Amino acid sequence: MNLKVLILPGDGIGAEVTREAVRVLQTVARKFNHDLTLTEGLLGGVAIHKTGTPLPEETSKLALEADATLMGAVGLPEFDNAPPAQRPERGLLGIRKILGVFANLRPVRTYAALIDSSPLKNALVEGTDMIIVRELTGGIYYGTPRGISGEGDEERAVNTMAYTRAEIVRVTRMAFNLARARRRKVTSVDKSNVLENSQLWRRVVCEVAPEFPDVQLDHLLVDNAAMQLVLNPRRFDVLLTENMFGDILSDEGAVLAGSIGMLPSASIGDRKPSGAWVGLYEPVHGSAPDIAGQNKANPLGAIGSAAALLEYSFGLKREADAVSAAMEKVLNSGNVTADLRPKGTPATTEQVGQAVCAAIE
Ligand code: IPM
Ligand code: MG
């Protein structure tokens, strides 16, 4: 198979972790006889430096041409005070929108070898296995009107949380379909006791649910969901929620997996005529500028994202499973980065990537 993949390393540790994910893709391509065609593009702070904009047109074009896009992370402290439209993050929001990847899948599971890495009690996190389905191209991150206006005491900031029925329906169907291949339970998270937006969300989710009579549905308010995630994480199978709630809850979920460095994500949209999903794959973690360039970052979130790319955009389940098995082998060996609090000397980013490749071979 010919795999045309766009790489967007982005900022901070993005370059280091994607380098290892690319190494893994190359190993898989060699071992399973695929042709891998890689292109590279600019996104985020690095794009602002080189072109003046976080999402250059060239990058959008490359992403639309590629079969799948693998991304590192975006964001740099030097842009902390820049207006939202001139920040690296805007590039990421832009490319998600251009690709139409409306469902962000963030699997959270505990690995036996990492059970001590979670700050939570072992008995509590053990056996956690959920997938957070975060709506990704709507809601308050995109809604208009938005902006800051006025002066002095009258200075005022506005953001808008908006969803259409169609946007809720498609991501809900995605969540229910995923649940069918799992424990058949969807928990929809909203704030319907306060927000009209959430009232529509809940109503539409309830309307879609009967299409999937074999899947159980329940609802949680987002504040309670935040608590249940750390009180009783095993209660969750598929957690379906809107953009901002999903952003927040998935960082919380990362604690259950031992480290946010472990979490992969797949952002998918509609199917292409070939049957493959349009997809953008990125670790959940940020650009971690404090440790950038030090060969310390955990590449497993990025490598897990590469596995998701193989599975969803190319239907290469066997290859994806080989990557997951290799990751597990490396975790069991204890040869892991500092964030996972290994007993001995922490491994470097590169060593972890190489170990995963060796395990695939
Ligand atoms: C994430 C990140 C991004 C988001 C930022 C960098 C814009 O936090 O993918 O979770 O909010 O979606
Ligand atoms: Mg986030």
Side-chain angles (χ1 to χ4, degrees), residues 106 134 141 246-248 250-251 284:
R106 301 188 157 184
R134 166 187 175 193
Y141 291 1
D247 187 18
I248 297 169
S250 56
D251 272 31
V284 170

Side-chain angles (χ1 to χ4, degrees), residues 90-270:
R90 183 55 70 88
L92 177 53
L93 295 183
I95 196 159
R96 287 172 177 167
K97 195 76 174 182
I98 282 172
L99 288 172
V101 287
F102 60 83
N104 181 222
L105 318 184
R106 301 188 157 184
V108 177
R109 52 172 289 219
T110 50
Y111 291 88
L114 292 185
I115 200 86
D116 289 327
S117 304
S118 171
L120 301 174
K121 292 198 176 76
N122 292 3
L124 194 136
V125 292
E126 225 158 6
T128 296
D129 183 1
M130 75 180 87
I131 184 160
I132 298 177
V133 178
R134 166 187 175 193
E135 200 292 329
L136 200 61
T137 52
I140 197 166
Y141 291 1
Y142 291 93
T144 52
R146 65 184 296 160
I148 304 180
S149 60
E151 272 165 47
D153 285 349
E154 299 308 311
E155 190 172 10
R156 189 166 179 274
V158 175
N159 287 96
T160 302
M161 187 188 259
Y163 271 107
T164 62
R165 168 181 294 275
E167 285 173 319
I168 302 168
V169 166
R170 61 185 183 181
V171 73
T172 300
R173 289 205 176 113
M174 183 78 83
F176 275 87
N177 275 316
L178 284 166
R180 279 195 161 153
R182 303 173 45 95
R183 302 196 307 280
R184 293 174 188 260
K185 181 175 173 197
V186 171
T187 301
S188 173
V189 172
D190 63 39
K191 187 70 185 172
S192 59
N193 53 347
V194 178
L195 303 175
E196 284 79 359
N197 201 273
S198 284
Q199 284 166 1
L200 179 67
W201 180 277
R202 192 178 284 214
R203 182 147 54 81
V204 173
V205 170
C206 287
E207 282 169 20
V208 171
E211 294 173 23
F212 302 84
D214 51 323
V215 178
Q216 192 196 329
L217 168 67
D218 67 351
H219 305 270
L220 285 180
L221 296 173
V222 63
D223 45 356
N224 185 23
M227 182 169 71
Q228 296 306 323
L229 267 178
V230 285
L231 276 183
N232 186 12
R234 281 187 295 263
R235 85 175 287 299
F236 294 99
D237 179 17
V238 176
L239 189 166
L240 164 67
T241 192
E242 65 88 44
N243 201 344
M244 180 168 63
F245 297 162
D247 187 18
I248 297 169
L249 294 180
S250 56
D251 272 31
E252 190 188 355
V255 175
L256 303 166
S259 157
I260 196 162
M262 289 301 301
L263 255 65
S265 91
S267 306
I268 56 187
D270 291 319

Side-chain angles (χ1 to χ4, degrees), residues 311-327:
E311 177 169 351
Y312 294 114
S313 279
F314 297 107
L316 299 174
K317 180 86 171 79
R318 197 165 53 108
E319 287 79 343
D321 288 347
V323 177
S324 304
M327 283 171 59

